[in-house]
Each structure stands twice: as structure tokens, then as C-alpha cells.
Amino acid sequence: MGKQLEQIIPDLQEFIQKQNVFFVATAMSTGKVNLSPKGMDSFRIIDSKRVMWLNVTGSGNETATHLLENDRITVMFCAFEGKPMILRLYGKGKVYHQRDSEWEEFIHLFPELPGARQLVDIEVEMVQTSCGMAVPFMDFNRERDELKKWTQKQGEDGIKEYWNKKNTVSMDGHKTGIFE
């Protein structure tokens, strides 16, 4: 059933690359735990011990806040078709913004996504698989296009204004570092 590994092996890399959705969890030492679904073509495996995801504009910016204080992060994938499996990547995360040199180094790995806000770089410490036999079968229909349309309507200045209003402080009142 479940296994723990020190790195992402080729079979698991193939599984990850086929998934249309993944979930990210972070927490500070106090306050709320954040768990967010992610989609789009926003996840990359750099090597067997390192992954990265392009975080796009959202109504909050909890992951960035949490990683400033506590670098623990978990990414989870579930098989909604085919053989059942849940795969978790446990690690330490860092956030890169457009002002950081790492942004320029890695942004080319991703398609141009609307509202691109941060890159989250994760050093994988443990890979865990479990059965996933209770996860339902679900068919992927298509990506949503609402974010793309909304960000195009806002324009670059409008997105930065939105970040200033909605993404500078977490729901627990901590700075996110988006402009610092």
C-alpha cells in the first residue's frame, strides 16, 4: 500500500505530469492552515529532489506568508482516473517574486500564465504514496478561463493594484512579502 521514498522516482514523475490538479498545504506556527487546489500548467519537476510551481493571482496569498515564517510545505496529487494513488511531496519551500533573480532563471519553464505572481521552489525531503482507493473517479473536462479573462481585463497595473489590496497581508494579519 503506502511507501515512503527519499526522492521522486520515474514512475511517480510520470504520474505527477499527468495530473490536472494538485493541492498545496502550508502553515505558520500559529494561525490557520492553508490548503489550496492548483491547476493550469503550473507545476514542474526540476529533478528528483526539487519541484517548482508557478503561483498565480488569487484572492489571498497565504502560501507566501507562511513560507516566510515556516518553510514547511506539502504538495498532494490524487489519481481521479486509472490506478488509485495519492502522492504527497513533503519539503521546504521558498518564494521567488518577479524582482528576484531566480524568477528570470526559472520562469521560462512555464507557459505564460495570466496573473503570474510567484514561483514556489520546493526541496523535496520525502515522497509518500498511499492507496487512494477511496478517491472517486472524476473526468477532467477543461481548464477554466475566468482568471485569464479577468487578468487581461485588469492589465498589469490593475493586477498590481489588486495585489496591493488583497495580497499584501494574510488572513491572520501577516505580511506576504509580495512588494518587499
Side-chain angles (χ1 to χ4, degrees):
M1 287 250 192
K3 293 180 185 175
Q4 293 180 354
L5 305 163
E6 293 181 6
Q7 62 187 13
I8 302 167
I9 61 174
D11 288 351
L12 298 180
Q13 179 172 339
E14 185 178 329
F15 172 78
I16 289 169
Q17 291 170 332
K18 289 180 181 177
Q19 303 314 304
N20 294 302
V21 64
F22 60 99
F23 303 85
V24 175
T26 56
M28 295 177 77
S29 57
T30 62
K32 295 166 189 68
V33 173
N34 185 60
L35 175 61
S36 296
K38 305 294 177 186
M40 307 172 91
D41 184 14
S42 62
F43 193 87
R44 295 292 180 272
I45 298 171
I46 307 301
D47 62 40
S48 65
K49 300 278 288 175
R50 186 177 181 198
V51 298
M52 192 171 287
W53 125 74
L54 178 58
N55 193 16
V56 296
T57 298
S59 57
N61 199 5
E62 303 305 304
T63 300
T65 301
H66 293 175
L67 292 176
L68 285 173
E69 192 234 35
N70 185 340
D71 62 359
R72 292 177 308 148
I73 187 167
T74 302
V75 179
M76 183 180 77
F77 299 87
C78 299
F80 294 109
E81 58 187 22
K83 180 181 169 187
M85 179 167 31
I86 298 170
L87 179 126
R88 291 179 184 90
L89 305 175
Y90 297 92
K92 295 183 185 290
K94 291 185 268 187
V95 174
Y96 306 133
H97 298 88
Q98 293 176 13
R99 66 182 174 270
D100 299 320
S101 61
E102 293 88 352
W103 178 273
E104 289 303 318
E105 184 179 348
F106 294 106
I107 193 62
H108 73 277
L109 298 174
F110 301 90
E112 189 172 319
L113 290 179
R117 181 173 60 181
Q118 294 132 341
L119 290 169
V120 179
D121 188 355
I122 303 167
E123 175 190 339
V124 177
E125 298 179 320
M126 184 175 76
V127 177
Q128 179 193 46
T129 62
S130 55
C131 69
M133 292 180 193
V135 175
F137 283 105
M138 296 197 301
D139 294 326
F140 177 74
N141 186 304
R142 67 185 179 279
E143 293 283 351
R144 295 179 186 269
D145 63 358
E146 287 89 351
L147 180 63
K148 182 179 181 180
K149 290 177 182 177
W150 181 82
T151 56
Q152 288 171 338
K153 182 179 176 185
Q154 302 306 308
E156 190 173 325
D157 290 340
I159 292 297
K160 288 186 178 167
E161 184 178 321
Y162 181 84
W163 289 350
N164 195 43
K165 287 181 186 174
K166 300 282 190 176
N167 289 177
T168 57
V169 178
S170 74
M171 69 173 94
D172 289 323
H174 301 281
K175 292 185 177 184
T176 66
I178 195 163
F179 290 120
E180 298 163 5

